[in-house]
Amino acid sequence: MTDLIRVELAEALHAATLGEGVACDYHQRPKEISTDDSVLLEAMRLVDHPQLQIEEWPEDWVIDAARCVDHAVDEIVAPTRGFEEALISVSLTVSNGVVSVSMPSPDDVSVLAFSPATDGTHPILIDQQLVDARQPNDHGIFRWTRIAGMLAAEPPEPLRGHIENLIEGSREVPETVEEIV
């Protein structure tokens, strides 16, 4: 399975741009990540979501989060049903001030962990405020791993209280998230 995922990731993420720099998504204040070595990234593919009514589902893998050494993990902390999730290590390149994924072949993708869309916990309860708080096309904010990371970074009120209320109203909550709340 990992070989197939590596091939899919290499095809989908080849030359994907990350902007002018890479920052850890699990720090309240962005912590820049060096692009000199391989970078730990979370990739996701939205397969199905019981609450999201999206006209155009993203069909390919996308980079959903970057992790610095302080927030490095070797597993998907709280997999979410409906999302294919992969924890990967890849090299990045900087050209003309833009950071992008440099994967000439599947051998350049290290898949450290993978969770199929059928595994994990039912997604967090979604409401319009959470949808409005996300960046455009950030479907990954509904993954439990991202929610756990947001809470661990101690977001300011009223966002933390709002997220906690959504967690309380959710159908299922992973233990790793309950421990943070």
Side-chain angles (χ1 to χ4, degrees):
M1 179 60 122
T2 303
D3 287 339
L4 175 61
I5 300 304
R6 285 179 33 214
V7 169
E8 289 176 354
L9 284 162
E11 290 174 1
L13 300 179
H14 181 72
T17 59
L18 301 172
E20 295 181 2
V22 181
C24 179
D25 288 291
Y26 294 103
H27 278 279
Q28 185 176 357
R29 293 189 186 113
K31 177 180 179 181
E32 291 294 317
I33 299 174
S34 171
T35 56
D36 295 338
D37 299 315
S38 292
V39 176
L40 187 61
L41 301 172
E42 293 173 21
M44 55 136 302
R45 178 167 44 191
L46 182 59
V47 175
D48 184 25
H49 195 291
Q51 288 179 275
L52 286 178
Q53 301 300 320
I54 301 174
E55 292 179 19
E56 292 185 33
W57 291 90
E59 294 180 15
D60 286 328
W61 286 95
V62 295
I63 295 169
D64 188 49
R67 289 183 172 269
C68 68
V69 294
D70 297 339
H71 291 103
V73 293
D74 56 5
E75 64 182 344
I76 297 166
V77 181
T80 305
R81 191 173 303 138
F83 292 85
E84 286 188 331
E85 300 169 272
L87 184 63
I88 63 174
S89 177
V90 297
S91 295
L92 302 177
T93 58
V94 180
S95 178
N96 295 327
V98 176
V99 179
S100 60
V101 178
S102 55
M103 292 187 286
S105 77
D107 292 336
D108 297 320
V109 181
S110 295
V111 178
L112 309 173
F114 171 74
S115 173
T118 54
D119 287 357
T121 306
H122 191 274
I124 188 172
L125 180 67
I126 295 173
D127 72 349
Q128 192 61 45
Q129 186 176 347
L130 185 59
V131 171
D132 291 344
R134 68 186 174 95
Q135 298 294 322
N137 300 318
D138 183 7
H139 306 300
I141 196 166
F142 309 120
R143 294 187 311 114
W144 282 112
T145 298
R146 287 273 302 279
I147 295 297
M150 289 170 61
L151 290 173
E154 300 180 7
E157 291 295 341
L159 179 59
R160 184 179 183 93
H162 184 70
I163 292 171
E164 288 176 354
N165 287 337
L166 291 175
I167 290 169
E168 193 174 301
S170 293
R171 185 168 140 190
E172 297 178 272
V173 180
E175 283 183 31
T176 53
V177 175
E178 286 178 343
E179 292 170 1
I180 298 171
V181 179

